[in-house]
Amino acid sequence: MRSLRRSISLILLIMAAIVPVLGQKAPEYLFPVRGVSGSYSSSYGEMRTNHFHSGVDIRTDKVEGKAVIAVADGYISRITYAPRGFGYALYITHPDRGTMSVYGHLSRLRKDIAEYLTEARYKEQANAKNLFPKATQFPVRQGDIIAYSGNSGSSFGPHLHYELRDTKSGHTLNPVKAGAVKAKDTIAPKILRLHYVVVDTLIGEPKSRLIGSYTPKFENGSYRIDSLVELSGRGYFVVETRDAHNNSSSRFGIYKAVVSIDGKRHFDYRIDRFAFADSRHCNIVSYYPLQRTAKCEVLRLARLPHAPSYLFRHSPTNGIVSLDEGAKAEVEIEITDSSGNGSKLHFSALGTRYLGRPMPKLSYGAVYVDGVQEQSVVGEGFSLSLPRNALYEPEYCRTEKLNDNSISAPSVIQLSPIYRIFAEECALNKAVKVRIATSCPTELQRCARIAAVTKEGKVRLLGGEFRNDSVEVQTRRVGDMVVVADTIAPRITARFKEGADMRIGGVLRFSVKDNFSGIADYKLLIDGEWRTLDLQPVKGELVHRFDRPLKSQGVSHSVELEVKDGCGNISTWRGKIIK
């Protein structure tokens, strides 16, 4: 009976921590990290490589170890460590607000949370871990320290990645518009370029084609284009824009774009939220042929198929514009950032006759792919299988090898000609199956992979495996591809001396490098027992922090590290330490 009373008291205490008093408005979200200037290096909704940025990146003044706090009352609902992505991360559910806050790239967790994660890692002998504790296990109050900022995972410098999510839909929310954080930003976005893209057809299917570009002038607080902007046929506008914050050299994304024609609202895009399942559709929200190499936002002022409908407040014609030959219209485009700073572009548009021209084939044997239906393409030494809706727009696919078949990668062995699977300006909506034939010697079959080939002839791993005289891979990458074999094992360098005395502090730190396929797996044994390892992929380091005491203290211990790359090549390092 006494035990039952204690359990009830504990539950009531936790509920008091996470449920607001009836009738009281919940206090504002707190800023998630203490002791920093409060500036950002990335904003919400930015166009990244094949995804929208799902939060804000908060600078921690080039150092790690700043206190990260719970922005509101709630409980820790998820604890993760992954060598890539967010690295060490915490997720806090806020029941009274219907939201979840996310904190990524942490250096270390609060002691009790860290011990919980460590216990799970050792129990399953797994370096990567994803845990979902009960709501009663780690309740938090607003302002509690939960972790410390860092540089773990796929991070290129110390910062805190912070997100706010809607718990019901799972959508990530714009934290500035939701009032969770504020940016030090009084600077309006710049409007750099305007393009007109006609919606042509390729064998009867809609196909975008850029036919006109203009550079605006900035005068008297707004942008203008002096010449008439010619609208030939049905099409839409594309705008290149870049935002900035006070006291920051970073480039930021925009929040809203509104097009008005002759004083009437024509198109309205806003990124208040997005679903992770839709994140890749940034490739159709942006104008991908320009966005993929741009150092700014290249926003398509139109809603094309697959673009999430909730991003568009108003688009009765899906942003498509059309003027009769000789007709004129006054156009205004307003670009606004999340802090409410805006810029306007004004110009006059003139309808002109469009003389459509067929899209040229990439080569004589190119095959038309509509991108909607399931389709297979068989070429000279390769095949391609596409699921339904694999492409955003129709394309031609080459069916023969390139004339220039050389790669500039002496550390791998080339096993096939180079093939071009669509042009690099093509964005894939879904993964396609690529199969390339190869006369691969038996001893190389285990390490044969398909690689992407850059313009400089360098190779980057796509993956796949050898089967039935060919290598097959599922990929969302297009462009030039080749089969290569990698026989070189990773290189391991200990960052401490043999027999190093680590009795006072100290960590085991190793540099790990691979020539091609990257670090895929690793295992550390001390005196034959499994120990945790953290991979820092950007630095190329593996680190063990002695998160569990060794059985014997003050004596010599044997250390063995095994590292495997993406092609299955293995290196082993052995040595001694005193601990």
Side-chain angles (χ1 to χ4, degrees), residues 13-30:
L13 178 64
I14 291 168
M15 293 301 294
I18 63 177
V19 179
V21 178
L22 187 64
Q24 282 187 357
K25 184 180 178 181
E28 292 184 356
Y29 291 99
L30 295 182

PDB file of all heavy atoms in Angstrom, residues 13-30:
ATOM      1  N   LEU A  13       3.561  14.356  -9.204  1.00  0.00           N
ATOM      2  CA  LEU A  13       4.680  15.293  -9.302  1.00  0.00           C
ATOM      3  C   LEU A  13       5.056  15.520 -10.761  1.00  0.00           C
ATOM      4  O   LEU A  13       5.278  16.654 -11.198  1.00  0.00           O
ATOM      5  CB  LEU A  13       5.876  14.754  -8.517  1.00  0.00           C
ATOM      6  CG  LEU A  13       7.150  15.612  -8.554  1.00  0.00           C
ATOM      7  CD1 LEU A  13       6.895  16.958  -7.887  1.00  0.00           C
ATOM      8  CD2 LEU A  13       8.293  14.881  -7.837  1.00  0.00           C
ATOM      9  N   ILE A  14       5.107  14.438 -11.522  1.00  0.00           N
ATOM     10  CA  ILE A  14       5.467  14.554 -12.936  1.00  0.00           C
ATOM     11  C   ILE A  14       4.402  15.322 -13.707  1.00  0.00           C
ATOM     12  O   ILE A  14       4.701  16.183 -14.525  1.00  0.00           O
ATOM     13  CB  ILE A  14       5.676  13.149 -13.547  1.00  0.00           C
ATOM     14  CG1 ILE A  14       6.933  12.513 -12.946  1.00  0.00           C
ATOM     15  CG2 ILE A  14       5.809  13.218 -15.061  1.00  0.00           C
ATOM     16  CD1 ILE A  14       7.062  11.035 -13.248  1.00  0.00           C
ATOM     17  N   MET A  15       3.125  15.018 -13.424  1.00  0.00           N
ATOM     18  CA  MET A  15       2.049  15.723 -14.107  1.00  0.00           C
ATOM     19  C   MET A  15       2.078  17.204 -13.792  1.00  0.00           C
ATOM     20  O   MET A  15       1.808  18.046 -14.647  1.00  0.00           O
ATOM     21  CB  MET A  15       0.694  15.127 -13.718  1.00  0.00           C
ATOM     22  CG  MET A  15       0.479  13.702 -14.217  1.00  0.00           C
ATOM     23  SD  MET A  15       0.588  13.570 -16.011  1.00  0.00           S
ATOM     24  CE  MET A  15      -0.853  14.518 -16.484  1.00  0.00           C
ATOM     25  N   ALA A  16       2.448  17.546 -12.584  1.00  0.00           N
ATOM     26  CA  ALA A  16       2.552  18.955 -12.214  1.00  0.00           C
ATOM     27  C   ALA A  16       3.651  19.640 -13.001  1.00  0.00           C
ATOM     28  O   ALA A  16       3.585  20.840 -13.288  1.00  0.00           O
ATOM     29  CB  ALA A  16       2.815  19.081 -10.709  1.00  0.00           C
ATOM     30  N   ALA A  17       4.688  18.870 -13.374  1.00  0.00           N
ATOM     31  CA  ALA A  17       5.813  19.448 -14.110  1.00  0.00           C
ATOM     32  C   ALA A  17       5.484  19.666 -15.562  1.00  0.00           C
ATOM     33  O   ALA A  17       6.050  20.547 -16.206  1.00  0.00           O
ATOM     34  CB  ALA A  17       7.038  18.536 -13.986  1.00  0.00           C
ATOM     35  N   ILE A  18       4.549  18.835 -16.082  1.00  0.00           N
ATOM     36  CA  ILE A  18       4.351  18.913 -17.533  1.00  0.00           C
ATOM     37  C   ILE A  18       2.985  19.457 -17.946  1.00  0.00           C
ATOM     38  O   ILE A  18       2.734  19.685 -19.105  1.00  0.00           O
ATOM     39  CB  ILE A  18       4.565  17.529 -18.189  1.00  0.00           C
ATOM     40  CG1 ILE A  18       3.539  16.515 -17.691  1.00  0.00           C
ATOM     41  CG2 ILE A  18       5.967  17.022 -17.961  1.00  0.00           C
ATOM     42  CD1 ILE A  18       3.651  15.149 -18.368  1.00  0.00           C
ATOM     43  N   VAL A  19       2.073  19.669 -17.022  1.00  0.00           N
ATOM     44  CA  VAL A  19       0.747  20.179 -17.360  1.00  0.00           C
ATOM     45  C   VAL A  19       0.581  21.572 -16.766  1.00  0.00           C
ATOM     46  O   VAL A  19       0.761  21.764 -15.568  1.00  0.00           O
ATOM     47  CB  VAL A  19      -0.367  19.238 -16.829  1.00  0.00           C
ATOM     48  CG1 VAL A  19      -1.731  19.819 -17.168  1.00  0.00           C
ATOM     49  CG2 VAL A  19      -0.202  17.854 -17.415  1.00  0.00           C
ATOM     50  N   PRO A  20       0.267  22.592 -17.551  1.00  0.00           N
ATOM     51  CA  PRO A  20       0.122  23.946 -17.027  1.00  0.00           C
ATOM     52  C   PRO A  20      -1.129  24.087 -16.167  1.00  0.00           C
ATOM     53  O   PRO A  20      -2.074  23.318 -16.277  1.00  0.00           O
ATOM     54  CB  PRO A  20      -0.010  24.790 -18.311  1.00  0.00           C
ATOM     55  CG  PRO A  20      -0.615  23.848 -19.308  1.00  0.00           C
ATOM     56  CD  PRO A  20      -0.039  22.504 -18.988  1.00  0.00           C
ATOM     57  N   VAL A  21      -1.095  25.058 -15.310  1.00  0.00           N
ATOM     58  CA  VAL A  21      -2.251  25.341 -14.460  1.00  0.00           C
ATOM     59  C   VAL A  21      -3.411  25.795 -15.333  1.00  0.00           C
ATOM     60  O   VAL A  21      -3.242  26.581 -16.258  1.00  0.00           O
ATOM     61  CB  VAL A  21      -1.887  26.438 -13.426  1.00  0.00           C
ATOM     62  CG1 VAL A  21      -3.109  26.768 -12.562  1.00  0.00           C
ATOM     63  CG2 VAL A  21      -0.723  25.980 -12.565  1.00  0.00           C
ATOM     64  N   LEU A  22      -4.610  25.257 -15.070  1.00  0.00           N
ATOM     65  CA  LEU A  22      -5.773  25.571 -15.878  1.00  0.00           C
ATOM     66  C   LEU A  22      -6.007  27.076 -15.929  1.00  0.00           C
ATOM     67  O   LEU A  22      -6.034  27.751 -14.912  1.00  0.00           O
ATOM     68  CB  LEU A  22      -6.999  24.853 -15.298  1.00  0.00           C
ATOM     69  CG  LEU A  22      -8.289  24.947 -16.116  1.00  0.00           C
ATOM     70  CD1 LEU A  22      -8.096  24.254 -17.459  1.00  0.00           C
ATOM     71  CD2 LEU A  22      -9.454  24.311 -15.347  1.00  0.00           C
ATOM     72  N   GLY A  23      -6.176  27.576 -17.156  1.00  0.00           N
ATOM     73  CA  GLY A  23      -6.451  28.993 -17.328  1.00  0.00           C
ATOM     74  C   GLY A  23      -5.220  29.852 -17.496  1.00  0.00           C
ATOM     75  O   GLY A  23      -5.331  31.008 -17.874  1.00  0.00           O
ATOM     76  N   GLN A  24      -4.065  29.307 -17.188  1.00  0.00           N
ATOM     77  CA  GLN A  24      -2.837  30.083 -17.346  1.00  0.00           C
ATOM     78  C   GLN A  24      -2.257  29.878 -18.748  1.00  0.00           C
ATOM     79  O   GLN A  24      -2.261  28.767 -19.270  1.00  0.00           O
ATOM     80  CB  GLN A  24      -1.790  29.654 -16.324  1.00  0.00           C
ATOM     81  CG  GLN A  24      -2.023  30.198 -14.942  1.00  0.00           C
ATOM     82  CD  GLN A  24      -0.849  29.882 -14.031  1.00  0.00           C
ATOM     83  OE1 GLN A  24       0.101  29.221 -14.430  1.00  0.00           O
ATOM     84  NE2 GLN A  24      -0.908  30.368 -12.810  1.00  0.00           N
ATOM     85  N   LYS A  25      -1.770  30.921 -19.347  1.00  0.00           N
ATOM     86  CA  LYS A  25      -1.097  30.822 -20.635  1.00  0.00           C
ATOM     87  C   LYS A  25       0.339  30.367 -20.401  1.00  0.00           C
ATOM     88  O   LYS A  25       1.036  30.868 -19.529  1.00  0.00           O
ATOM     89  CB  LYS A  25      -1.104  32.186 -21.343  1.00  0.00           C
ATOM     90  CG  LYS A  25      -0.499  32.149 -22.729  1.00  0.00           C
ATOM     91  CD  LYS A  25      -0.544  33.516 -23.378  1.00  0.00           C
ATOM     92  CE  LYS A  25       0.119  33.467 -24.751  1.00  0.00           C
ATOM     93  NZ  LYS A  25       0.109  34.806 -25.406  1.00  0.00           N
ATOM     94  N   ALA A  26       0.768  29.377 -21.202  1.00  0.00           N
ATOM     95  CA  ALA A  26       2.132  28.870 -21.054  1.00  0.00           C
ATOM     96  C   ALA A  26       3.124  29.977 -21.355  1.00  0.00           C
ATOM     97  O   ALA A  26       2.920  30.777 -22.277  1.00  0.00           O
ATOM     98  CB  ALA A  26       2.355  27.694 -22.003  1.00  0.00           C
ATOM     99  N   PRO A  27       4.214  30.077 -20.572  1.00  0.00           N
ATOM    100  CA  PRO A  27       5.218  31.103 -20.838  1.00  0.00           C
ATOM    101  C   PRO A  27       5.869  30.887 -22.196  1.00  0.00           C
ATOM    102  O   PRO A  27       5.817  29.792 -22.762  1.00  0.00           O
ATOM    103  CB  PRO A  27       6.221  30.916 -19.698  1.00  0.00           C
ATOM    104  CG  PRO A  27       6.023  29.511 -19.235  1.00  0.00           C
ATOM    105  CD  PRO A  27       4.577  29.216 -19.447  1.00  0.00           C
ATOM    106  N   GLU A  28       6.476  31.923 -22.729  1.00  0.00           N
ATOM    107  CA  GLU A  28       7.127  31.821 -24.030  1.00  0.00           C
ATOM    108  C   GLU A  28       8.240  30.787 -23.984  1.00  0.00           C
ATOM    109  O   GLU A  28       8.806  30.484 -22.941  1.00  0.00           O
ATOM    110  CB  GLU A  28       7.705  33.188 -24.429  1.00  0.00           C
ATOM    111  CG  GLU A  28       6.656  34.242 -24.720  1.00  0.00           C
ATOM    112  CD  GLU A  28       7.296  35.537 -25.199  1.00  0.00           C
ATOM    113  OE1 GLU A  28       8.540  35.601 -25.217  1.00  0.00           O
ATOM    114  OE2 GLU A  28       6.556  36.458 -25.561  1.00  0.00           O
ATOM    115  N   TYR A  29       8.556  30.261 -25.176  1.00  0.00           N
ATOM    116  CA  TYR A  29       9.702  29.373 -25.275  1.00  0.00           C
ATOM    117  C   TYR A  29      10.973  30.138 -24.903  1.00  0.00           C
ATOM    118  O   TYR A  29      11.144  31.309 -25.260  1.00  0.00           O
ATOM    119  CB  TYR A  29       9.862  28.861 -26.707  1.00  0.00           C
ATOM    120  CG  TYR A  29       8.792  27.917 -27.186  1.00  0.00           C
ATOM    121  CD1 TYR A  29       7.734  28.371 -27.977  1.00  0.00           C
ATOM    122  CD2 TYR A  29       8.846  26.561 -26.884  1.00  0.00           C
ATOM    123  CE1 TYR A  29       6.756  27.501 -28.449  1.00  0.00           C
ATOM    124  CE2 TYR A  29       7.881  25.681 -27.344  1.00  0.00           C
ATOM    125  CZ  TYR A  29       6.838  26.154 -28.128  1.00  0.00           C
ATOM    126  OH  TYR A  29       5.885  25.293 -28.595  1.00  0.00           O
ATOM    127  N   LEU A  30      11.878  29.482 -24.209  1.00  0.00           N
ATOM    128  CA  LEU A  30      13.177  30.076 -23.912  1.00  0.00           C
ATOM    129  C   LEU A  30      14.127  29.834 -25.078  1.00  0.00           C
ATOM    130  O   LEU A  30      13.963  28.891 -25.858  1.00  0.00           O
ATOM    131  CB  LEU A  30      13.764  29.461 -22.639  1.00  0.00           C
ATOM    132  CG  LEU A  30      13.011  29.718 -21.333  1.00  0.00           C
ATOM    133  CD1 LEU A  30      13.771  29.078 -20.169  1.00  0.00           C
ATOM    134  CD2 LEU A  30      12.810  31.216 -21.085  1.00  0.00           C
TER     135      LEU A  30
END
